[in-house]
Amino acid sequence: MWSRVPRIGPEAYARVAAAALAILAVIVFTGAAVRLTGSGLGCPTWPKCHGHFVTTELSSHGWIEYGNRLVTGVVSVLAILAALGAFLRRPFRRDLAILGLLLPLGVIVQIGLGGLSVLYGLAPGWVMAHFATSQAILAAAVALAWRARSEPGAMPSQPRRLVLAVRTLLPLAAWVLFVGTVATAAGPHPGASGDEVVTRLDFHGGNTLDWVVHWHGHFAELLGVVAVAVWLYAWRLRAPWTLRAPLTTVCCLLAAQGVVGFVQYDNRLPAGLVWVHVVLATCTWLSVLWSVAAAGRLQVSPREASQSSTTPSASRLLDSHISP
């Protein structure tokens, strides 16, 4: 029976993982379009749209929201294929199986949060959680796609200080993303249109948006300074291009983000520029994840290497006792 189960080679599975990563990024872009076009309540019910699973009688906002739901269906299929393929891949790898399972589980959570966002009238907390979950799924997808391309023994290994320096970008980038979602939740794009009333964040009174935007800018500047410092450090150590390339991409995207951020704020946050800002933010997050993956594992320190070479393993001790 088990002999009839199809098997997948490493190259084929790597393509499936890459396709899953690509569509997971696309759903972030379409989700941002839903919000910024005021189509978040284009389908005011969930999981049905105006009482139907399939309907053609929709407004433009309804079609945008419904189209995003259809893309979610494609995302679900590829996430399931990535999870199933990890178990059909030969040779089997446990790390790929665990990462593969995270994708459909994350999509299930994402669908649930999307439904709750609609049912609770696009309340800021649910919408922010919806976006944050999408970024977490992207992290798992990047790890899966990266690991699927190489065997465990071929994973890159850079100097410890360089790896740790690159890893500092991850929490900083995550925090900048979070503060950015807070700014959006306090801004002029609630995700609805017309007479639909959506609650906005106002924890700092009428100055909430300006307050959050300025702090978002400060943290983004800090991330940019740290990214440039890590980039210079990588060049000084003559790190391989496989690491310097994503670090260069991070710096360039942050520079572009800064320009777009200033322009959109001076122009009172037009929807088109905000969408570009979200797209660039997601690409920056992907580039940071790419950099962390390219940095690889921590190299074994000389002290640890000497200890491992001088400390006999259990098998060596056993051999010494049983050898004549």
Side-chain angles (χ1 to χ4, degrees):
M1 175 181 178
W2 293 108
S3 61
R4 298 180 181 179
V5 177
R7 305 300 182 190
I8 300 178
E11 292 185 3
Y13 182 71
R15 288 193 290 270
V16 172
L21 171 59
I23 195 64
L24 283 166
V26 169
I27 194 67
V28 176
F29 304 155
T30 60
V34 169
R35 182 182 184 89
L36 296 170
T37 56
S39 305
L41 296 178
C43 289
T45 58
W46 187 90
K48 295 181 179 181
C49 185
H50 292 286
H52 303 280
F53 282 109
V54 180
T55 179
T56 57
E57 299 179 0
L58 293 175
S59 63
S60 59
H61 292 303
W63 273 115
I64 294 172
E65 164 63 10
Y66 193 65
N68 186 61
R69 294 187 185 187
L70 293 178
V71 176
T72 303
V74 179
V75 170
S76 302
V77 170
L78 282 173
I80 293 172
L81 287 177
L84 182 61
F87 288 91
L88 298 178
R89 182 188 183 275
R90 289 298 179 270
F92 173 78
R93 280 176 49 186
R94 184 180 179 182
D95 60 330
L96 299 182
I98 294 174
L99 290 170
L101 285 173
L102 289 178
L103 299 193
L105 291 176
V107 171
I108 291 172
V109 174
Q110 187 75 314
I111 292 173
L113 289 172
L116 290 170
S117 298
V118 173
L119 295 177
Y120 284 93
L122 304 180
W126 293 114
V127 177
M128 291 168 62
H130 189 56
F131 181 79
T133 302
S134 67
Q135 303 303 312
I137 300 173
L138 282 177
V142 169
L144 178 66
W146 182 272
R147 285 177 169 269
R149 293 194 310 165
S150 58
E151 295 301 320
M155 293 293 180
S157 177
Q158 305 298 331
R160 294 174 66 87
R161 290 183 180 179
L162 178 57
V163 175
L164 292 174
V166 174
R167 290 180 181 180
T168 60
L169 297 174
L170 194 59
L172 278 175
W175 179 249
V176 171
L177 270 177
F178 170 74
V179 180
T181 62
V182 177
T184 303
H189 302 291
S193 61
D195 298 329
E196 299 164 341
V197 178
V198 177
T199 304
R200 312 301 293 145
L201 291 179
D202 58 354
F203 56 85
H204 214 268
N207 195 39
T208 300
L209 176 60
D210 288 338
W211 187 83
V212 176
V213 166
H214 281 91
W215 275 108
H216 176 60
H218 293 329
F219 286 122
E221 290 170 0
L222 174 62
L223 175 60
V225 170
V226 174
V228 171
V230 174
W231 179 79
L232 290 172
Y233 188 46
W235 276 86
R236 179 183 177 186
L237 295 182
R238 297 182 180 179
W241 179 246
T242 53
L243 175 57
R244 286 184 290 173
L247 288 174
T248 302
T249 303
V250 170
C251 293
C252 292
L253 286 172
L254 286 173
Q257 276 287 71
V259 173
V260 173
F262 279 118
V263 172
Q264 70 173 4
Y265 187 73
D266 287 341
N267 289 274
R268 298 186 178 183
L269 305 175
L273 277 179
V274 175
W275 184 81
V276 172
H277 196 63
V278 173
V279 171
L280 288 175
T282 302
C283 291
T284 303
W285 175 243
L286 289 171
S287 298
V288 170
L289 294 169
W290 175 23
S291 300
V292 173
R297 300 173 287 108
L298 293 169
Q299 283 185 355
V300 179
S301 64
R303 179 179 298 178
E304 292 173 342
S306 62
Q307 288 177 351
S308 62
S309 62
T310 57
T311 303
S313 63
S315 59
R316 290 180 180 176
L317 287 173
L318 179 61
D319 290 341
S320 63
H321 282 295
I322 65 175
S323 60

